[in-house]
Amino acid sequence: MKTIEQWIDGAPYHGEPVRRVPVENPTTGRIEAELLEASVADVDHAVRVARRAQLSWGKVSLAKRMDIMFRMRQLVLDHQDELATAIVNEHGKTFSDAIGEIQRGRETLDFACNIAAALKGEISYDVSTGVDVHTLRQPVGVVAGIGPFNFPVMVPMWMHPIAIATGNSFVLKPPSPAPTASMIIARLYREAGLPDGVFNVVSGDRHVVTALLEHPGIDAVSFVGSTPVARIVQETATRHGKRVQALGGANNHAIVMPDADLDHAAQHIAAAAFGAAGERCMALPAVIAVGGIADELARRVAEHAGAYVVGSGFEEVTDLGPVISARAKQRITGLIDDAEQRGATVVLDGRAPTVEGFEDGHFLAPTVITGVPLDAPVYTEEIFGPVLTIGAAATYEEAIALVNAQPFGNGAAIFTRDGGTARRFKLDVQAGMVGINVPIPTPVAYYSFGGWKDSLLGDTHIHGPEGVRFCTRAKAITERWPGATVHAATMSFEREA
Ligand code: NAD
């Protein structure tokens, strides 16, 4: 069986593992690898190595750093099938979705290839006679990244290219259910010419996260995961004097107005709700249909989703793979059962699909529910599975009040043909990422990604310009050069006179 170690100082590192954790393939239900969980001593070693490496990496020229990013970008392209295979084996999403995840992650590498543009400072001269001021941004030092299971490549790639290109070292704590991709990325960074110790991987449970959050050698913590853990991470890391961005969970809503193109809406809502088995922080688990169209919309969404093929992510016909574990499947099924007991109507029931040849996989097919009471956990909690609730509202005002009443604020969308309604929505809605006839409004990597309210704890969004600010500290320099205050232009004028 494959053993997955740590990666420290440019090579696999065995260290003193505290536990061996099984890594399951959710499609087959088989254990295919063992993950060695790092000890606190291993984490300490990784952080010390990263700190030492940063001292010289932070002084490497921008040209050289960008050159390494260019090479890394090409290597990720060259190895995307290897990365996608690791994602499908450990997460279960379809191969094409895994390739899509890698491409979205690579956008941040693209951005990092031109990090010089994002690091340009400002200058004002003669702010006082002979006194100039300019600003520059320098690396914070060592950035720790902690990622969720649902995007084993993309989410860490929102973090490390920017951290590294801006001159920091990086220590990654990958998700335990899907750790292999991080080791491939570590190997590719070495092939790209990144100096040893600048990118490190330490795996494990909360003890590893806590060790990173409390370590005096870590300067900044970038976290993406569920909100309860985001809260722990933010509180612990700030208590230990670190800057933190902690992206949490979501319960994204879309409003469908009666003037919307219902076919377009139904098709895109189905893809947004059930793609990747609903295991996306930008998935769409809740729709509010305005003006008596809820049943018709539910019928059309169910028609699309009922045709989705559930199965192995390696088969081309598959639309959605399994959820991550037997426990997740049980939790999601329980939420649907509970809604039904509360009087909701299960329009499309995906609780018990049969997937031939994969009887031990953790499969769920798309489920569409209407008439869900507003206090039912299937509506109030983050489902993180292929389940969509379609609720009804009489007016836009009623619908936006429902959207804004829930504690999360990651993504939100509206389907309408009316520009005025769309404009109102984008200003009214309490969410960080907004879609107009776009149900998954994930920004491209040269913008920043992040939610509001319980979907993001901390001040800055991730990647793009806010990512650069997070990974760097500003410095303002005021300088005077006594004896050199006469302008050359003045001198030549005086000579001519
Ligand atoms: P999770 O919060 O359980 O785990 C995230 C990371 O934290 C993992 O590396 C895990 O090992 C670690 N961790 C877990 N419990 C911990 C604890 N008590 N103390 C310290 N560390 C701990 O999340 P998950 O189940 O891996 O991922 C799914 C969640 O991530 C969903 O809530 C989803 O919405 C969220 N997510 C959010 C975004 C976003 O951009 N906002 C993106 C992807 C996923």
Side-chain angles (χ1 to χ4, degrees), residues 143-271:
V143 178
I146 301 153
F149 78 82
N150 63 321
F151 284 113
V153 169
M154 183 186 77
V155 165
M157 224 178 250
W158 286 351
M159 306 168 180
H160 52 75
I162 292 184
I164 292 172
T166 54
N168 299 281
S169 287
F170 194 81
V171 181
L172 174 63
K173 207 299 276 174
S176 298
T180 297
S182 297
M183 296 299 277
I184 299 173
I185 292 294
R187 197 190 77 219
L188 298 183
Y189 265 128
R190 186 180 61 189
E191 279 177 40
L194 188 70
D196 294 347
V198 176
F199 181 84
N200 307 278
V201 181
V202 283
S203 285
D205 202 358
R206 64 190 64 178
H207 72 279
V208 168
V209 176
T210 307
L212 287 168
L213 302 179
E214 295 182 348
H215 200 295
I218 296 288
D219 300 286
V221 177
S222 192
F223 170 89
V224 178
S226 62
T227 296
V229 181
R231 193 156 277 129
I232 295 172
V233 167
Q234 195 219 13
E235 287 173 5
T236 312
T238 48
R239 203 164 52 244
H240 287 83
K242 302 172 198 325
R243 62 173 65 179
V244 189
Q245 53 183 187
L247 282 74
N251 188 4
N252 306 314
H253 280 48
I255 294 176
V256 180
M257 295 301 290
D259 67 354
D261 176 340
L262 267 203
D263 260 339
H264 170 270
Q267 186 189 341
H268 285 84
I269 286 168

Side-chain angles (χ1 to χ4, degrees), residues 9 200 270 433 447 496:
D9 215 3
N200 307 278
M433 293 166 284
Y447 287 80
E496 281 161 23

Side-chain angles (χ1 to χ4, degrees), residues 60-71 113 115-116 165:
V60 167
S61 73
L62 269 172
K64 173 87 182 143
R65 280 190 250 149
M66 290 193 291
D67 190 39
I68 289 172
M69 285 297 149
F70 267 109
R71 270 184 270 155
C113 287
I115 202 71

